[in-house]
């Protein structure tokens, strides 16, 4: 049996080279505030993989994606075991764009903090009088740079995103920036509308895109998971305060309240976190995990 070793290990994922394609494995690691926590969240990687698969299928009429298969039987023998089951994605090789494509539909988190200070979010002027967690008149696109592990992503303007892409792809910066903005907003709108009908508000999310061999834009990485998005329950949603969530905001809040934790979570926080992930999966897909 051929042995595989990851050629790239990120905060929560490991990527293996499988010749013509890649195999991306979502681990049970969890990160917050640019730190990898000392605990694993059991089953988290599998849930994220299956949620991404669900959204890739739902949005492939809007934009092609990198997904080939999440069935381990389609992968080399090395991956056909319990360790990799349900958490592995065979995907196309792409040239990933050096941007994180962030869309915000509600005013919360760092956006709310910025708005209180300046009336703006990432340089975008918003109406006066918005309250915390309020739905924005229309979703806004706020790209950021991609940081290495341990560094912080940097929010940039749309104009700066053109410069970043022009540097990477001379002659295509403006076109690529415009297209990924349009696609990010379109994917968000379709998925947020879908989720809302099923009891979940998607307050914001982060998407990533790459270019295929023909230079076409392809949706990649993970899509609208509790790790890359803020999911709020519709039940109990109330403007003017922070919201309970299905995502790792629960972990972030605990870490903020326990600054001496050294990024180690107690068992009850781990249990509550995976319960929230499973609940989000069921609401979105209609199936128990």
């Amino acid at each position: 049996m051929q042995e595989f070793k990851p050629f790239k290990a990120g905060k929560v994922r490991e990527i293996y080279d499988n010749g013509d394609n890649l195999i991306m494995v979502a681990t049970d690691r969890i990160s917050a505030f640019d730190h990898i926590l000392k605990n694993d969240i059991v089953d988290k990687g599998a849930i994220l993989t299956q949620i991404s698969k669900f959204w890739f299928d739902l949005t492939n009429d809007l934009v092609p994606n990198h997904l080939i298969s999440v069935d381990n039987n389609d992968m080399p023998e090395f991956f056909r075991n319990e360790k990799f089951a349900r958490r592995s994605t065979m995907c196309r090789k792409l040239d990933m764009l050096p941007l994180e494509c962030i869309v915000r539909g509600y005013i919360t988190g760092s956006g709310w903090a910025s708005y209180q200070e300046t009336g703006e979010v990432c340089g975008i002027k918003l109406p006066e009088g918005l309250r915390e967690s309020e739905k924005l008149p229309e979703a806004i696109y706020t790209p950021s740079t991609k940081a290495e592990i341990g560094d912080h992503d940097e929010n940039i303007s749309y104009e700066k995103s053109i410069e970043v892409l022009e540097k990477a792809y001379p002659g295509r910066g403006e076109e690529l920036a415009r297209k990924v903005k349009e696609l990010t907003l379109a994917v968000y709108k379709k998925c947020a509308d879908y989720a809302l009908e099923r009891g979940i508000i998607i307050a914001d999310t982060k998407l990533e895109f790459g270019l295929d061999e023909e230079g076409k834009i392809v949706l990649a990485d993970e899509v609208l998971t509790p790790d890359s998005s803020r999911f709020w329950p519709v039940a109990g949603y109330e403007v003017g305060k922070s919201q309970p969530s299905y995502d790792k905001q629960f972990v972030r809040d605990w870490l903020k309240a326990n600054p001496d934790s050294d990024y180690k979570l107690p068992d009850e926080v781990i249990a509550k976190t995976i319960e929230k992930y499973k609940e989000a999966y069921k609401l979105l897909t209609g199936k128990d995990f």
Side-chain angles (χ1 to χ4, degrees):
M1 178 176 71
Q2 182 185 355
E3 294 283 323
F4 285 80
K5 289 190 176 173
F7 71 88
K8 185 175 181 184
K11 292 172 190 170
V12 297
R13 280 189 299 281
E14 294 168 351
I15 304 176
Y16 298 78
D17 192 331
N18 187 39
D20 291 340
N21 55 61
L22 299 175
I23 294 173
M24 189 167 71
V25 178
T27 72
D28 289 336
R29 296 193 296 267
I30 188 166
S31 72
F33 304 119
D34 293 317
H35 281 78
I36 298 170
L37 275 59
K38 293 179 177 175
N39 315 77
D40 283 350
I41 308 291
V42 177
D43 282 339
K44 180 180 83 81
I47 292 172
L48 297 187
T49 298
Q50 299 304 318
I51 287 178
S52 282
K53 160 77 164 64
F54 176 80
W55 291 124
F56 279 131
D57 290 345
L58 191 76
T59 59
N60 63 12
D61 61 329
L62 296 176
V63 57
N65 60 64
H66 75 167
L67 181 66
I68 298 172
S69 177
V70 295
D71 186 342
N72 291 67
N73 292 320
D74 294 335
M75 301 176 197
E77 185 182 350
F78 178 82
F79 297 95
R80 291 180 222 152
N81 58 61
E82 195 56 38
K83 177 184 174 183
F84 295 103
R86 303 192 75 186
R87 65 178 65 246
S88 303
T89 303
M90 181 184 281
C91 51
R92 297 158 62 186
K93 288 185 172 179
L94 301 170
D95 184 17
M96 296 300 292
L97 301 183
L99 283 184
E100 300 208 323
C101 299
I102 298 164
V103 56
R104 304 169 191 258
Y106 293 72
I107 184 87
T108 186
S110 62
W112 170 241
S114 172
Y115 174 76
Q116 287 177 290
E117 286 181 19
T118 65
E120 299 179 348
V121 174
C122 301
I124 298 172
K125 185 74 176 168
L126 295 177
E128 291 180 13
L130 292 176
R131 293 180 293 160
E132 184 176 8
S133 304
E134 189 167 351
K135 185 176 183 180
L136 296 173
E138 58 182 273
I140 57 173
Y141 174 68
T142 60
S144 79
T145 58
K146 286 183 186 176
E148 296 300 318
I149 291 178
D151 295 330
H152 290 283
D153 299 336
E154 180 192 350
N155 292 325
I156 57 175
S157 65
Y158 173 68
E159 290 70 28
K160 179 67 176 176
S161 78
I162 296 174
E163 291 177 28
V164 169
L165 290 170
E166 182 62 29
K167 185 177 179 182
Y169 306 99
R172 294 197 68 188
E174 194 166 348
E175 167 223 346
L176 290 173
R178 175 177 50 79
K179 283 184 177 175
V180 295
K181 177 181 178 179
E182 289 171 356
L183 288 170
T184 299
L185 291 167
V187 167
Y188 172 75
K189 182 176 186 331
K190 178 168 186 173
C191 297
D193 288 350
Y194 173 93
L196 194 62
E197 292 175 1
R198 284 150 185 85
I200 292 179
I201 293 167
I202 302 177
D204 53 38
T205 196
K206 165 181 75 74
L207 301 178
E208 296 197 36
F209 297 90
L211 300 181
D212 66 12
E213 292 176 346
E214 298 175 357
K216 292 178 181 173
I217 296 173
V218 177
L219 182 60
D221 200 59
E222 63 180 314
V223 179
L224 289 142
T225 70
D227 263 24
S228 64
S229 321
R230 277 191 179 88
F231 286 4
W232 298 337
V234 171
Y237 167 67
E238 190 179 331
V239 175
K241 62 178 187 177
S242 64
Q243 309 297 313
S245 66
Y246 289 113
D247 53 58
K248 64 181 180 181
Q249 189 61 38
F250 180 75
V251 171
R252 291 191 195 104
D253 290 345
W254 187 88
L255 289 170
K256 276 185 187 174
N258 296 273
D260 298 327
S261 67
D262 197 28
Y263 295 97
K264 189 173 189 333
L265 302 173
D267 290 345
E268 61 268 22
V269 174
I270 294 171
K272 187 73 173 173
T273 301
I274 198 60
E275 180 187 316
K276 286 174 175 288
Y277 279 53
K278 287 180 177 177
E279 191 178 339
Y281 176 85
K282 182 171 184 178
L283 284 170
L284 291 172
T285 68
K287 302 172 188 171
D288 286 314
F289 181 77

